[in-house]
Amino acid sequence: MSKTMGTVDKALILLEFFTVAEPEWGLSELAREAGHDKATTLRLLNSLTRGGFVEQHSVTKKFRLGRNILKLARVREASFPIASVVEPVLGALAAETSETAHAALGSGTGMITIGIAEPQRSTRVYVDPSQRLPFHATASGIAYLAFADDRTLDAVLADGNFKKHTSQTVRTADDLRRLLAETRAQGFAISARTFEDEVVGIAVPFFDATGQVYGTISVASVASRLTSEGERSIAAAVRKAANEVTTTIGGEVPDEIRDGEEAAA
């Protein structure tokens, strides 16, 4: 059983390497990036191809995402239409803050972006919709983990994969725990230059009807133009937006976040 699950895990992880920036991969390049030998990588890709999750270009022989990815995305959105819920919220948030707003859902290895709204200004932060956001290095991930259940948090801490993205990235479990405690206390997460050198992220989680953290609403700002006053203003706007999503999907805003909203008002 463990061997089977390990194979499934490896195959699914391969899908994460396909992004907007790198939509196609050759076998050798993907094997090297994933840390597998070519034979193992090809076997995993063949399994994904049979399932319709990956397809191979007939001429270049490179691999790309298959059509069944679209099918699953449509089924997910039809059953749990969270993307359509956050879209107008993100649009209003981007207009209010004049910065890039985005929403993400938590998964086993990071945050998956489900919506992006950009402001009407030439200099703005670009958020790659296909890039998985690491828990430890982004405001989205920190906000999510701060209110996640113990099992989720313990898994991230035990994994210990605190990849360094910038000089400000959290690198140890103890530092991450302190950051999560600060986030819970203030009701929002802020990550300054921890994932990209010129980006500051501010995020607040939203919750489902069972009271579990479901995802996050965030604003990504250009670091050089963000003032202390601007940070406070954005944090209040993000908190309001996240709480609106929580209410819309039938969730309940925790006291830690509700109290902060009232204090900001």
Side-chain angles (χ1 to χ4, degrees):
M1 176 65 75
S2 60
K3 182 178 180 180
T4 301
M5 289 303 295
T7 300
V8 172
D9 289 342
K10 290 177 182 178
L12 292 177
I13 288 173
L14 284 184
L15 295 177
E16 298 182 11
F17 290 98
F18 295 90
T19 67
V20 172
E22 295 179 291
E24 294 186 322
W25 287 87
L27 175 60
S28 297
E29 291 78 10
L30 184 57
R32 183 166 52 251
E33 189 70 19
H36 304 315
D37 58 60
K38 289 174 64 175
T40 297
T41 303
L42 181 59
R43 185 171 65 252
L44 296 172
L45 287 170
N46 285 339
S47 295
L48 291 170
T49 299
R50 287 192 294 271
F53 302 112
V54 166
E55 60 188 29
Q56 189 175 26
H57 194 286
S58 59
V59 177
T60 66
K61 302 304 180 182
K62 289 188 175 183
F63 293 88
R64 61 194 180 195
L65 293 180
R67 298 175 183 178
N68 266 0
I69 296 292
L70 294 175
K71 175 185 175 182
L72 292 179
R74 292 191 185 104
V75 171
R76 167 70 189 194
E77 184 59 18
S79 305
F80 306 96
I82 188 64
S84 58
V85 170
V86 303
E87 182 179 353
V89 175
L90 293 177
L93 183 59
E96 180 180 354
T97 62
S98 295
E99 300 288 0
T100 301
H102 59 105
L105 300 182
S107 71
T109 57
M111 304 295 293
I112 300 173
T113 300
I114 60 167
I116 302 168
E118 295 184 328
Q120 295 298 314
R121 65 194 310 173
S122 57
T123 305
R124 57 185 182 269
V125 175
Y126 169 72
V127 176
D128 184 343
S130 63
Q131 184 177 35
R132 191 174 293 267
L133 303 175
F135 285 125
H136 71 291
T138 63
S140 297
I142 296 298
Y144 182 85
L145 282 184
F147 291 89
D149 57 73
D150 291 340
R151 181 179 178 181
T152 299
L153 178 57
D154 289 345
V156 174
L157 293 173
D159 182 56
N161 183 22
F162 304 131
K163 179 181 178 181
K164 182 179 179 180
H165 295 276
T166 73
S167 62
Q168 303 300 313
T169 305
V170 169
R171 299 303 306 281
T172 70
D174 287 341
D175 286 342
L176 180 57
R177 287 191 184 93
R178 282 193 289 271
L179 187 54
L180 296 178
E182 293 172 5
T183 298
R184 283 189 290 270
Q186 64 189 8
F188 68 91
I190 179 165
S191 294
R193 297 182 169 91
T194 56
F195 188 48
E196 297 181 57
D197 283 320
E198 290 303 316
V199 176
V200 176
I202 297 176
V204 176
F206 55 86
F207 302 81
D208 64 18
T210 69
Q212 298 297 310
V213 61
Y214 193 56
T216 59
I217 300 294
S218 309
V219 162
S221 305
V222 177
S224 59
R225 68 173 174 233
L226 186 63
T227 64
S228 297
E229 181 180 353
E231 179 183 307
R232 289 191 295 271
S233 176
I234 289 174
V238 174
R239 191 195 307 267
K240 180 180 178 182
N243 290 354
E244 180 180 346
V245 173
T246 294
T247 301
T248 301
I249 64 176
E252 184 173 347
V253 180
D255 291 338
E256 299 96 316
I257 296 178
R258 187 187 303 280
D259 291 346
E261 183 180 37
E262 293 172 352

